[in-house]
Amino acid sequence: MSTPQPLLILTQDDLLAERWQALSSSPIRALDIHGLETWRKAGHRLVVIDLGSRLGGALPLWTHQAWRENATGLAILATSSRPDDDEGLAVLNAGASGYCHSHAPVDNLRQALDVIDSGELWVGRALLSRLLRLVDSRLPRAGLADWARPLTEREREVAHHAAVGESNVAIAGALGITERTVKAHLKAIFEKLEVADRLQLALRVHGVR
């Protein structure tokens, strides 16, 4: 099912634009990065953009003035035919809400749009791990009273490992427990701390929310 939200499609690739038409019941296509400003001023917010298109000249799209001035008022799913973690970090830092492959399955793109439309981030596992490690390296840890009080000692250990981007397998190995037990602890942690995913958990652990 397509999203009921109006969707701005930004690409110069006709085949890609045709494919993305199925993402929304109200898709609008633009061929220039300045379409972001028009879209925001019209009161819309959902955008899927092809970073490979020369929509704003030779410079990366996220460095363009039209992006910088309008990204904070939009929910942008940035896509690339050759996804790269460094590029992903750059576009997220510039205000995009998601980053994925341009030719990801349409159902996956719909899911990504639903996620960013709800105010969350959409990124791949490898990029998420890098984001979490950046959070861990740059932000001070909160005290026990700020986030850990509702958790058991084991849940606190699992939370710390998850908050720096470690996989369930890695956490299980580090703590000498099964992967299934890690999943059970994470489920309990998410419920107790009222967070939806590992990124929100990392922000809570480091005192950001």
Side-chain angles (χ1 to χ4, degrees), residues 54-80:
R54 296 295 184 183
L55 297 166
L59 296 176
L61 289 179
W62 59 92
T63 66
H64 197 281
Q65 183 177 356
W67 178 301
R68 296 196 309 269
E69 292 179 351
N70 295 284
T72 55
L74 300 170
I76 299 175
L77 178 62
T79 76
S80 173

Side-chain angles (χ1 to χ4, degrees), residues 36-104:
L36 292 176
E37 181 178 4
T38 303
W39 194 245
R40 180 183 60 79
K41 288 183 176 179
H44 304 309
R45 61 189 304 270
L46 207 54
V47 179
V48 58
I49 187 167
D50 172 22
L51 297 178
S53 291
R54 296 295 184 183
L55 297 166
L59 296 176
L61 289 179
W62 59 92
T63 66
H64 197 281
Q65 183 177 356
W67 178 301
R68 296 196 309 269
E69 292 179 351
N70 295 284
T72 55
L74 300 170
I76 299 175
L77 178 62
T79 76
S80 173
S81 59
R82 296 181 179 178
D84 173 81
D85 283 355
D86 289 332
E87 180 183 68
L89 286 172
V91 296
L92 291 171
N93 189 54
S97 300
Y99 180 73
C100 67
H101 200 293
S102 304
H103 297 278

Side-chain angles (χ1 to χ4, degrees), residues 3 12 35 51 60 83 183 187 207:
T3 174
Q12 293 177 341
L51 297 178
K183 291 179 180 178
K187 183 175 184 296

Side-chain angles (χ1 to χ4, degrees), residues 9-50:
I9 294 171
L10 272 170
T11 182
Q12 293 177 341
D13 185 323
D14 292 339
L15 292 177
L16 198 57
E18 182 178 355
R19 187 165 177 270
W20 285 353
Q21 293 286 324
L23 294 172
S24 172
S25 57
S26 305
I28 299 294
R29 184 183 178 186
L31 298 174
D32 187 276
I33 191 67
H34 294 287
L36 292 176
E37 181 178 4
T38 303
W39 194 245
R40 180 183 60 79
K41 288 183 176 179
H44 304 309
R45 61 189 304 270
L46 207 54
V47 179
V48 58
I49 187 167
D50 172 22

